[in-house]
Amino acid sequence: MQVFNPSAGRSADRWDSSRRGFRWVVPAFVIALCGAITEVGAAKLVDIEVLDRDHLMVHVADGDVIHHEGSTGEEVVRYEPELDAGVALVPGSWTITSEDDPAYGGSGQHPQSCARKKKLNGHAQMEWIGSDFRYESTYEHRIYLELPNPMQQGMTYTLGIDPGTHIGVTSRSITFDIYNTPSEAVHVNLVGYAPNAPHKAADLYHWMGTAGARDYSAFEGNTVYVVDATTGQATPAGSVSFWMAGGSDVFWYNLTRSDVWSVDFSAWTEPGTYRLAVEGVGCSRDFEIADDVYRDSFHVA
């Protein structure tokens, strides 16, 4: 079972299991606080996302931890029954149809393969027992569906979901639009970039759990667009190129578990709010280009 994956870049946080042995000396009134557990029927479909033209990513949660302020403690919400991972990894449990794309017309098609990544998504401190608190954890999953035919720009697809997966919905639609559909494979600096920075780039990579690293070598040379977040105007600003092979990063950890491709847009200097769109993949989250873009970060630091 894979519990850890860095999905936000080379500086991603790690889950430090050594913290579980940490002991606090707490006042008596704190000891009186305790968490609550709520059960909700069926695993929660958080979202269906585009990874790139060849992959859909189904985000499912088995539970969440809600951290309340004040004296109400922490609440663990469990979505039960949890995801049936065995059923979810069967290609026949998913059906992709489309009224726009003839490749998915009629009764639709099943994925070629399915993979899964499981991560810790919540950690709750519950009631005091003996010499320590009791702890509860919740998990989330990402199911990767490898498609038999690439999705086409601007077309809408509907994913049918077998109830045997225990997911609480049976279908969800999504449009493949590289200018407006975010992909977790496109990693930008969300703080932003200075206009005169000599190097502006994003990383292109993704680790798909049991399927390993996504190979984006076939996307080398694809056009990269800078999209104005206000007007939607998309301007070609570079292309995808290979940067470096996967390997050890900070403290010899392999944080990306993947080769990394570069999405370079260094020539773009116009201030504004933008996102990057990568041909065949999708777009980044919005970011700013501004002279004072690091002001808040330095202030907080």
Short mmCIF file of all heavy atoms in Angstrom, two decimals, residues 173-214:
data_model
loop_
_atom_site.label_atom_id
_atom_site.label_comp_id
_atom_site.label_asym_id
_atom_site.label_seq_id
_atom_site.Cartn_x
_atom_site.Cartn_y
_atom_site.Cartn_z
N SER A 173 -19.66 13.96 -15.27
CA SER A 173 -19.17 14.43 -16.56
C SER A 173 -18.02 15.42 -16.38
O SER A 173 -17.94 16.13 -15.37
CB SER A 173 -20.30 15.10 -17.36
OG SER A 173 -21.30 14.16 -17.69
N ILE A 174 -17.15 15.49 -17.39
CA ILE A 174 -16.02 16.42 -17.36
C ILE A 174 -15.67 16.79 -18.80
O ILE A 174 -15.81 15.97 -19.72
CB ILE A 174 -14.79 15.81 -16.64
CG1 ILE A 174 -13.71 16.86 -16.44
CG2 ILE A 174 -14.25 14.59 -17.39
CD1 ILE A 174 -12.61 16.41 -15.48
N THR A 175 -15.23 18.03 -19.00
CA THR A 175 -14.83 18.51 -20.32
C THR A 175 -13.32 18.61 -20.38
O THR A 175 -12.68 19.14 -19.47
CB THR A 175 -15.45 19.88 -20.62
OG1 THR A 175 -16.88 19.76 -20.60
CG2 THR A 175 -15.01 20.41 -21.97
N PHE A 176 -12.74 18.09 -21.47
CA PHE A 176 -11.30 18.18 -21.67
C PHE A 176 -11.00 19.50 -22.39
O PHE A 176 -11.26 19.65 -23.57
CB PHE A 176 -10.79 17.00 -22.49
CG PHE A 176 -9.30 17.07 -22.76
CD1 PHE A 176 -8.40 17.05 -21.72
CD2 PHE A 176 -8.82 17.14 -24.06
CE1 PHE A 176 -7.03 17.12 -21.95
CE2 PHE A 176 -7.45 17.21 -24.31
CZ PHE A 176 -6.56 17.20 -23.25
N ASP A 177 -10.48 20.45 -21.63
CA ASP A 177 -10.18 21.78 -22.16
C ASP A 177 -8.86 22.21 -21.54
O ASP A 177 -8.80 22.58 -20.37
CB ASP A 177 -11.30 22.75 -21.79
CG ASP A 177 -11.04 24.18 -22.26
OD1 ASP A 177 -9.98 24.42 -22.88
OD2 ASP A 177 -11.87 25.05 -21.99
N ILE A 178 -7.79 22.18 -22.31
CA ILE A 178 -6.46 22.44 -21.75
C ILE A 178 -6.33 23.84 -21.18
O ILE A 178 -5.48 24.09 -20.31
CB ILE A 178 -5.35 22.20 -22.78
CG1 ILE A 178 -5.43 23.21 -23.93
CG2 ILE A 178 -5.38 20.77 -23.30
CD1 ILE A 178 -4.20 23.23 -24.82
N TYR A 179 -7.16 24.78 -21.61
CA TYR A 179 -7.05 26.16 -21.14
C TYR A 179 -7.77 26.40 -19.82
O TYR A 179 -7.50 27.38 -19.13
CB TYR A 179 -7.61 27.11 -22.20
CG TYR A 179 -6.99 26.92 -23.56
CD1 TYR A 179 -7.72 26.33 -24.60
CD2 TYR A 179 -5.67 27.29 -23.81
CE1 TYR A 179 -7.14 26.13 -25.85
CE2 TYR A 179 -5.09 27.09 -25.07
CZ TYR A 179 -5.84 26.52 -26.07
OH TYR A 179 -5.27 26.32 -27.31
N ASN A 180 -8.67 25.50 -19.46
CA ASN A 180 -9.50 25.71 -18.26
C ASN A 180 -9.59 24.50 -17.34
O ASN A 180 -10.17 24.61 -16.26
CB ASN A 180 -10.91 26.12 -18.68
CG ASN A 180 -10.95 27.46 -19.38
OD1 ASN A 180 -10.75 28.50 -18.77
ND2 ASN A 180 -11.20 27.44 -20.69
N THR A 181 -9.06 23.36 -17.74
CA THR A 181 -9.14 22.14 -16.93
C THR A 181 -7.80 21.91 -16.24
O THR A 181 -6.82 21.52 -16.89
CB THR A 181 -9.49 20.92 -17.79
OG1 THR A 181 -10.68 21.18 -18.53
CG2 THR A 181 -9.70 19.70 -16.91
N PRO A 182 -7.70 22.15 -14.92
CA PRO A 182 -6.42 21.96 -14.23
C PRO A 182 -5.97 20.50 -14.23
O PRO A 182 -6.79 19.59 -14.14
CB PRO A 182 -6.72 22.44 -12.80
CG PRO A 182 -7.94 23.29 -12.92
CD PRO A 182 -8.74 22.68 -14.03
N SER A 183 -4.67 20.32 -14.33
CA SER A 183 -4.06 18.99 -14.24
C SER A 183 -3.03 19.00 -13.12
O SER A 183 -2.21 19.93 -13.04
CB SER A 183 -3.38 18.62 -15.56
OG SER A 183 -2.53 17.48 -15.38
N GLU A 184 -3.07 17.97 -12.28
CA GLU A 184 -2.07 17.87 -11.21
C GLU A 184 -0.67 17.61 -11.74
O GLU A 184 0.30 17.67 -10.98
CB GLU A 184 -2.47 16.77 -10.22
CG GLU A 184 -3.59 17.16 -9.28
CD GLU A 184 -3.69 16.25 -8.07
OE1 GLU A 184 -2.78 15.41 -7.87
OE2 GLU A 184 -4.67 16.37 -7.33
N ALA A 185 -0.54 17.34 -13.02
CA ALA A 185 0.78 17.10 -13.60
C ALA A 185 1.53 18.38 -13.89
O ALA A 185 2.75 18.35 -14.13
CB ALA A 185 0.64 16.28 -14.88
N VAL A 186 0.84 19.52 -13.89
CA VAL A 186 1.48 20.81 -14.20
C VAL A 186 1.74 21.54 -12.88
O VAL A 186 0.80 21.97 -12.21
CB VAL A 186 0.61 21.67 -15.12
CG1 VAL A 186 1.35 22.95 -15.50
CG2 VAL A 186 0.23 20.90 -16.38
N HIS A 187 3.00 21.69 -12.50
CA HIS A 187 3.38 22.23 -11.20
C HIS A 187 4.01 23.61 -11.38
O HIS A 187 5.13 23.73 -11.88
CB HIS A 187 4.39 21.31 -10.51
CG HIS A 187 3.92 19.90 -10.35
ND1 HIS A 187 3.40 19.41 -9.18
CD2 HIS A 187 3.88 18.86 -11.24
CE1 HIS A 187 3.06 18.13 -9.34
NE2 HIS A 187 3.35 17.79 -10.58
N VAL A 188 3.30 24.65 -10.96
CA VAL A 188 3.84 26.00 -11.04
C VAL A 188 4.17 26.51 -9.64
O VAL A 188 3.78 25.91 -8.64
CB VAL A 188 2.83 26.99 -11.70
CG1 VAL A 188 2.58 26.63 -13.14
CG2 VAL A 188 1.53 27.04 -10.91
N ASN A 189 4.89 27.62 -9.59
CA ASN A 189 5.14 28.32 -8.34
C ASN A 189 3.89 29.14 -8.04
O ASN A 189 3.65 30.18 -8.66
CB ASN A 189 6.36 29.22 -8.47
CG ASN A 189 6.68 29.96 -7.18
OD1 ASN A 189 5.89 29.98 -6.24
ND2 ASN A 189 7.85 30.56 -7.14
N LEU A 190 3.06 28.69 -7.10
CA LEU A 190 1.79 29.36 -6.82
C LEU A 190 1.97 30.72 -6.15
O LEU A 190 1.05 31.53 -6.14
CB LEU A 190 0.91 28.46 -5.97
CG LEU A 190 0.40 27.19 -6.67
CD1 LEU A 190 -0.40 26.34 -5.70
CD2 LEU A 190 -0.44 27.54 -7.88
N VAL A 191 3.14 30.98 -5.58
CA VAL A 191 3.41 32.32 -5.06
C VAL A 191 3.48 33.30 -6.23
O VAL A 191 2.99 34.41 -6.16
CB VAL A 191 4.71 32.34 -4.24
CG1 VAL A 191 5.08 33.77 -3.85
CG2 VAL A 191 4.59 31.47 -3.02
N GLY A 192 4.08 32.87 -7.34
CA GLY A 192 4.16 33.69 -8.53
C GLY A 192 5.59 33.89 -9.01
O GLY A 192 6.52 33.23 -8.53
N TYR A 193 5.75 34.80 -9.94
CA TYR A 193 7.04 35.05 -10.57
C TYR A 193 7.25 36.55 -10.72
O TYR A 193 6.30 37.31 -10.95
CB TYR A 193 7.10 34.41 -11.96
CG TYR A 193 6.83 32.92 -11.98
CD1 TYR A 193 5.52 32.43 -11.96
CD2 TYR A 193 7.87 31.99 -12.01
CE1 TYR A 193 5.26 31.07 -11.98
CE2 TYR A 193 7.62 30.63 -12.03
CZ TYR A 193 6.31 30.17 -12.02
OH TYR A 193 6.05 28.82 -12.05
N ALA A 194 8.49 36.99 -10.60
CA ALA A 194 8.82 38.38 -10.85
C ALA A 194 8.96 38.59 -12.36
O ALA A 194 9.48 37.71 -13.07
CB ALA A 194 10.13 38.75 -10.15
N PRO A 195 8.51 39.74 -12.88
CA PRO A 195 8.57 39.97 -14.33
C PRO A 195 9.98 39.85 -14.91
O PRO A 195 10.15 39.34 -16.02
CB PRO A 195 8.02 41.39 -14.50
CG PRO A 195 7.17 41.60 -13.29
CD PRO A 195 7.84 40.84 -12.18
N ASN A 196 10.98 40.31 -14.16
CA ASN A 196 12.35 40.30 -14.68
C ASN A 196 13.13 39.05 -14.30
O ASN A 196 14.35 39.00 -14.50
CB ASN A 196 13.09 41.55 -14.19
CG ASN A 196 13.20 41.61 -12.67
OD1 ASN A 196 12.59 40.80 -11.97
ND2 ASN A 196 13.97 42.57 -12.16
N ALA A 197 12.46 38.05 -13.73
CA ALA A 197 13.16 36.81 -13.38
C ALA A 197 13.74 36.19 -14.65
O ALA A 197 13.02 36.01 -15.64
CB ALA A 197 12.21 35.84 -12.70
N PRO A 198 15.01 35.84 -14.65
CA PRO A 198 15.62 35.30 -15.87
C PRO A 198 15.12 33.92 -16.25
O PRO A 198 15.27 33.50 -17.39
CB PRO A 198 17.11 35.27 -15.53
CG PRO A 198 17.16 35.18 -14.04
CD PRO A 198 15.97 35.97 -13.55
N HIS A 199 14.55 33.22 -15.27
CA HIS A 199 14.06 31.87 -15.54
C HIS A 199 12.68 31.70 -14.94
O HIS A 199 12.50 31.82 -13.73
CB HIS A 199 15.02 30.83 -14.95
CG HIS A 199 14.58 29.42 -15.21
ND1 HIS A 199 14.56 28.85 -16.46
CD2 HIS A 199 14.14 28.46 -14.35
CE1 HIS A 199 14.12 27.60 -16.37
NE2 HIS A 199 13.86 27.35 -15.11
N LYS A 200 11.69 31.46 -15.80
CA LYS A 200 10.33 31.17 -15.35
C LYS A 200 9.94 29.84 -15.97
O LYS A 200 9.97 29.68 -17.19
CB LYS A 200 9.34 32.24 -15.79
CG LYS A 200 9.67 33.66 -15.36
CD LYS A 200 8.56 34.60 -15.81
CE LYS A 200 8.99 36.04 -15.70
NZ LYS A 200 9.95 36.41 -16.77
N ALA A 201 9.59 28.89 -15.13
CA ALA A 201 9.25 27.57 -15.64
C ALA A 201 8.37 26.83 -14.66
O ALA A 201 8.33 27.15 -13.47
CB ALA A 201 10.52 26.76 -15.94
N ALA A 202 7.67 25.85 -15.17
CA ALA A 202 6.89 24.92 -14.36
C ALA A 202 7.42 23.52 -14.63
O ALA A 202 8.12 23.29 -15.62
CB ALA A 202 5.41 25.02 -14.71
N ASP A 203 7.08 22.60 -13.75
CA ASP A 203 7.47 21.20 -13.93
C ASP A 203 6.28 20.41 -14.45
O ASP A 203 5.13 20.68 -14.09
CB ASP A 203 7.94 20.58 -12.62
CG ASP A 203 9.27 21.16 -12.15
OD1 ASP A 203 9.98 21.74 -12.98
OD2 ASP A 203 9.58 21.03 -10.94
N LEU A 204 6.56 19.42 -15.27
CA LEU A 204 5.54 18.51 -15.77
C LEU A 204 5.92 17.10 -15.36
O LEU A 204 6.92 16.55 -15.84
CB LEU A 204 5.43 18.61 -17.30
CG LEU A 204 4.44 17.66 -17.98
CD1 LEU A 204 3.00 17.95 -17.54
CD2 LEU A 204 4.56 17.74 -19.50
N TYR A 205 5.15 16.51 -14.46
CA TYR A 205 5.37 15.13 -14.05
C TYR A 205 4.21 14.69 -13.18
O TYR A 205 3.46 15.51 -12.65
CB TYR A 205 6.69 14.98 -13.27
CG TYR A 205 6.67 15.63 -11.91
CD1 TYR A 205 6.24 14.93 -10.78
CD2 TYR A 205 7.07 16.95 -11.75
CE1 TYR A 205 6.20 15.52 -9.53
CE2 TYR A 205 7.03 17.56 -10.51
CZ TYR A 205 6.61 16.84 -9.40
OH TYR A 205 6.55 17.43 -8.17
N HIS A 206 4.08 13.38 -12.97
CA HIS A 206 3.09 12.86 -12.03
C HIS A 206 3.39 11.41 -11.73
O HIS A 206 3.78 10.64 -12.63
CB HIS A 206 1.67 12.98 -12.60
CG HIS A 206 0.61 12.81 -11.56
ND1 HIS A 206 0.24 13.83 -10.71
CD2 HIS A 206 -0.15 11.74 -11.20
CE1 HIS A 206 -0.70 13.41 -9.89
NE2 HIS A 206 -0.96 12.13 -10.16
N TRP A 207 3.23 11.06 -10.47
CA TRP A 207 3.39 9.66 -10.03
C TRP A 207 2.02 9.08 -9.80
O TRP A 207 1.21 9.63 -9.06
CB TRP A 207 4.23 9.63 -8.75
CG TRP A 207 4.50 8.25 -8.26
CD1 TRP A 207 5.31 7.30 -8.82
CD2 TRP A 207 3.96 7.64 -7.07
NE1 TRP A 207 5.30 6.16 -8.06
CE2 TRP A 207 4.48 6.34 -6.99
CE3 TRP A 207 3.07 8.09 -6.09
CZ2 TRP A 207 4.15 5.47 -5.95
CZ3 TRP A 207 2.74 7.23 -5.05
CH2 TRP A 207 3.29 5.93 -4.99
N MET A 208 1.72 7.97 -10.47
CA MET A 208 0.38 7.40 -10.49
C MET A 208 0.25 6.15 -9.62
O MET A 208 -0.45 5.20 -9.96
CB MET A 208 -0.03 7.09 -11.92
CG MET A 208 0.00 8.28 -12.86
SD MET A 208 -0.78 7.96 -14.47
CE MET A 208 0.29 6.67 -15.11
N GLY A 209 0.93 6.15 -8.48
CA GLY A 209 0.77 5.03 -7.55
C GLY A 209 1.22 3.70 -8.14
O GLY A 209 2.37 3.55 -8.56
N THR A 210 0.30 2.74 -8.20
CA THR A 210 0.67 1.40 -8.65
C THR A 210 1.06 1.36 -10.13
O THR A 210 1.65 0.39 -10.58
CB THR A 210 -0.50 0.42 -8.42
OG1 THR A 210 -1.69 0.92 -9.07
CG2 THR A 210 -0.78 0.26 -6.93
N ALA A 211 0.75 2.42 -10.89
CA ALA A 211 1.14 2.49 -12.30
C ALA A 211 2.51 3.13 -12.49
O ALA A 211 3.02 3.19 -13.60
CB ALA A 211 0.10 3.24 -13.12
N GLY A 212 3.10 3.63 -11.40
CA GLY A 212 4.40 4.27 -11.50
C GLY A 212 4.32 5.67 -12.08
O GLY A 212 3.27 6.32 -12.06
N ALA A 213 5.44 6.15 -12.61
CA ALA A 213 5.52 7.52 -13.11
C ALA A 213 4.87 7.63 -14.49
O ALA A 213 4.98 6.72 -15.32
CB ALA A 213 6.98 7.96 -13.19
N ARG A 214 4.22 8.74 -14.72
CA ARG A 214 3.67 9.04 -16.04
C ARG A 214 4.81 9.45 -16.97
O ARG A 214 5.61 10.32 -16.63
CB ARG A 214 2.63 10.16 -15.95
CG ARG A 214 2.09 10.64 -17.30
CD ARG A 214 1.25 9.59 -17.97
NE ARG A 214 0.49 10.12 -19.09
CZ ARG A 214 0.72 9.80 -20.38
NH1 ARG A 214 1.70 8.97 -20.70
NH2 ARG A 214 -0.04 10.32 -21.32
#
